[in-house]
Amino acid sequence: MAVEQTLVLIKPDGLVKSLTGNIITVLSETELKIVGAKIVQVTRELAEEHYQHLREEKFFNELINYIMGEYHTKRIMALVYHGENAIKKIRRIVGATNPEEADPISIRGKYGRITSTGIYENAVHASENAKEAEREIKLWFRPDELVHTIYPVESAVTEKQTFFWKETKTWKPGKKSDA
Ligand code: ADP
Ligand code: MG
């Protein structure tokens, strides 16, 4: 069995319906480890890159608006799960793409719906296969945002704008001042 990582997104409909806790609880049945998690405001660029394989579909524009939060809230939660057969284990609990065809006890079967304009609001995204999982994890997370990585990482010193908490003049937790 292969140790894998997979990307899960709790989509804007999942957040607006307060399903975050429920979804994470259901996914914990897999006994996989969460190695990264964050709330993201999705830009058009990120949305289009994430769903680039669906560019030609007639629902593409609505899908981009949906994932950017135009219909719900402009936030998604991105998570990386790690462990043996992570990709299949998560996909099984997430359920089929079409929420009406998804197993009723899967996350999408329970919480998804098809809107009157035909968008599948299915509350969660989960990587489909190993190639997609790698592409998606590298798209959504920097290596230093994960506590454990399975893909090679390199580092370089760069000149980059840094934010820190005003007055404490540090980004190190628990440290009051550099002065
Ligand atoms: P999955 O999310 O199961 O991997 P896809 O990658 O094919 O499925 O599609 C990405 C997302 O696009 C789906 O989760 C769903 O929100 C939306 N979608 C897919 N197919 C359709 C469709 N025929 N009509 C409307 N929305 C769709
Ligand atoms: Mg997909």
Side-chain angles (χ1 to χ4, degrees), residues 11 51 53-54 59 63 66 91 97 108 118 120 122 128:
K11 296 180 178 182
Y51 282 132
H53 60 293
L54 298 170
F59 58 82
L63 174 62
Y66 162 43
R91 278 293 286 200
T97 306
R108 286 169 167 179
Y120 296 180
N122 51 16
E128 274 174 67

Side-chain angles (χ1 to χ4, degrees), residues 51-63:
Y51 282 132
Q52 37 122 329
H53 60 293
L54 298 170
R55 260 185 325 255
E56 307 300 324
E57 301 291 340
K58 55 183 182 309
F59 58 82
F60 184 68
N61 282 340
E62 294 218 89
L63 174 62

Side-chain angles (χ1 to χ4, degrees), residues 47-95:
E48 290 183 351
E49 187 63 32
H50 177 71
Y51 282 132
Q52 37 122 329
H53 60 293
L54 298 170
R55 260 185 325 255
E56 307 300 324
E57 301 291 340
K58 55 183 182 309
F59 58 82
F60 184 68
N61 282 340
E62 294 218 89
L63 174 62
I64 296 305
N65 288 338
Y66 162 43
I67 204 71
M68 286 177 69
E70 300 293 336
Y71 310 125
H72 303 94
T73 176
K74 292 195 170 130
R75 295 170 298 137
I76 62 105
M77 185 166 192
L79 301 132
V80 175
Y81 282 83
H82 173 103
E84 286 190 350
N85 279 337
I87 298 166
K88 271 221 176 71
K89 280 181 186 162
I90 296 278
R91 278 293 286 200
R92 194 174 306 134
I93 301 191
V94 162

Side-chain angles (χ1 to χ4, degrees), residues 18 32 51 60 63-64 66 75 107 114 121 142 146 160 163 172 176:
S18 286
L32 296 165
Y51 282 132
F60 184 68
L63 174 62
I64 296 305
Y66 162 43
R75 295 170 298 137
I107 295 170
I114 302 180
E121 283 184 6
R142 293 194 318 269
L146 302 178
K160 198 171 150 275
F163 293 89
K172 294 186 183 98
K176 267 236 153 70

